[in-house]
Amino acid sequence: MATSDLDERFARALHHRNARLAAGDPLSPPIVPASAYWLPGEPAGEYQYGRWANPTWAALEGALAELEGAEVVTLPSGMAAIAAVFYATLKHGDRVLLPSDGYSATRALAEKFLAPLGVGFDTCATGQVERAPLDGYRLVWVETPSNPGLDVADIAAVARRAHAAGALVVVDNTTMTPLGQRPLELGADLVVSADTKGIAGHSDVLFGHVAARNSRVIAQVRDWRRHAGCIPGPFEAWLVHRGLETLQLRFERMCDNAEALAARLAEHPKVQRVAYPGLPTHPAHALARRQMRRFGALIGLRLSDRDSAERFIGGCRYVRPATSFGGVHTSAERRARWGDAVAEGFVRLSVGCEPLQPLWADLERALDLS
Ligand SMILES: *Cc1c(COP(=O)(O)O)cnc(C)c1O
């Protein structure tokens, strides 16, 4: 999608409620904490019971739908969005192909709760899925760039092959947001997003959404939410709506910062390796240039060992030691502490919106001391 078209979409997302507002209506969407609605006689209308629909979810879904160019169902966390896709699309006897190097809770959910129901799964590295045999799968799951290794998979190529094999393609677009990468336009059937990260962007709420253009598939996801009761809170939906309004500003700033920092970090003698799709040294840089609108705000950097990585993180003033990513504040963690298949000295840096110069000066000083 051309930048001007995406700008147009973002402007529409910001103003999506205007047409429905009347004089005196609040400009920000009301937080509606209703479990029940006024419902005399035969049930009619959009709002009947709190588990089925809510005006604050609807406001957020309207904005996200403009941005995604697809129907959207909101869920109370990123994992809830992933669970919704699993349970809405899979049945006993189906198989799923999951990334071996992606968000580990996705694999854990499949192992602990899908496998006992007779839904099998295999795993494949993100960098290999373009070439992996795809016959026999109901879902092919792609996370690109993968978290935390930041490997890149060719979404269009995977979608062509998966569709030929009769599978649906799901892309976890959390690391990129709809502003950084457009999986549905590259042929994916469903997008899941942990809005907890960049979309909400302020490290104060968990949230997720599913987007799809196939109305039958998205209706199944909505129906699962209604019956499973896995519903977002109205206040949380409001927080995400508010965060979304500054997504473009934040995301552009974070990506600008990350591009500049990745190049500088790659030159630093204490850094053994930098994984960032925007660097020409990334093995899939050419693909990343084609497929991604920006290169994202996550940087993987490898220091010599565990102690030097911990000294680096602890030595920064403008980096918060935390898991998660996509917030206004830069944060970092050593991923091996969760058992990810990465070197002990591998640090995932989530670059925030700080002004670049003080941030770089801080990182450089902490690296020198690491
Ligand atoms: C964080 C994350 C999730 C899960 O999101 P929660 O809101 O924590 O449930 C899923 N996928 C990716 C890629 C993530 O980074």
Side-chain angles (χ1 to χ4, degrees), residues 77-79 82 103 143 147 172 174 194 196-197 206-207 325:
S77 68
M79 283 313 302
I82 289 167
Y103 194 70
E143 191 181 308
N147 175 21
D172 184 330
T174 299
T196 308
K197 315 289 170 56
L206 280 105
F207 214 82
F325 59 85

Side-chain angles (χ1 to χ4, degrees), residues 261-312:
L261 291 176
R264 294 180 195 185
L265 288 166
E267 301 283 301
H268 196 282
K270 289 277 177 70
V271 177
Q272 295 183 339
R273 184 171 173 265
V274 173
Y276 186 67
L279 288 181
T281 49
H282 190 283
H285 178 63
L287 166 61
R289 291 197 83 87
R290 276 205 312 280
Q291 166 166 291
M292 299 160 70
R293 299 190 61 263
R294 298 298 313 258
F295 297 116
L298 287 179
I299 301 174
L301 59 147
R302 198 170 74 204
L303 303 185
S304 57
D305 54 31
R306 178 199 159 112
D307 288 350
S308 106
E310 291 294 354
R311 273 198 303 276
F312 164 61

Side-chain angles (χ1 to χ4, degrees), residues 68-200:
E68 293 277 15
E71 285 186 68
V72 166
V73 174
T74 52
L75 282 305
S77 68
M79 283 313 302
I82 289 167
V85 169
F86 280 164
Y87 289 102
T89 60
L90 296 168
K91 62 180 186 328
H92 182 90
D94 285 342
R95 282 195 87 72
V96 185
L97 185 63
L98 297 175
S100 57
D101 49 356
Y103 194 70
S104 65
T106 308
R107 286 189 305 283
L109 179 64
E111 188 175 336
K112 291 178 192 211
F113 295 98
L114 292 185
L117 297 176
V119 175
F121 74 98
D122 300 301
T123 64
C124 172
T126 295
Q128 306 292 319
V129 64
E130 275 157 64
R131 286 174 295 280
L134 300 180
D135 288 326
Y137 293 113
R138 172 71 182 140
L139 289 185
V140 174
W141 198 277
V142 178
E143 191 181 308
T144 178
S146 59
N147 175 21
L150 304 179
D151 283 338
V152 176
D154 187 333
I155 296 171
V158 172
R160 269 194 304 277
R161 293 185 49 242
H163 291 157
L168 292 173
V169 175
V170 187
V171 174
D172 184 330
N173 204 32
T174 299
T175 54
M176 292 314 296
T177 85
L179 294 179
Q181 178 168 270
R182 314 276 308 158
L184 298 173
E185 277 139 37
L186 296 166
D189 300 284
L190 293 122
V191 159
V192 297
S193 167
D195 302 341
T196 308
K197 315 289 170 56
I199 287 188

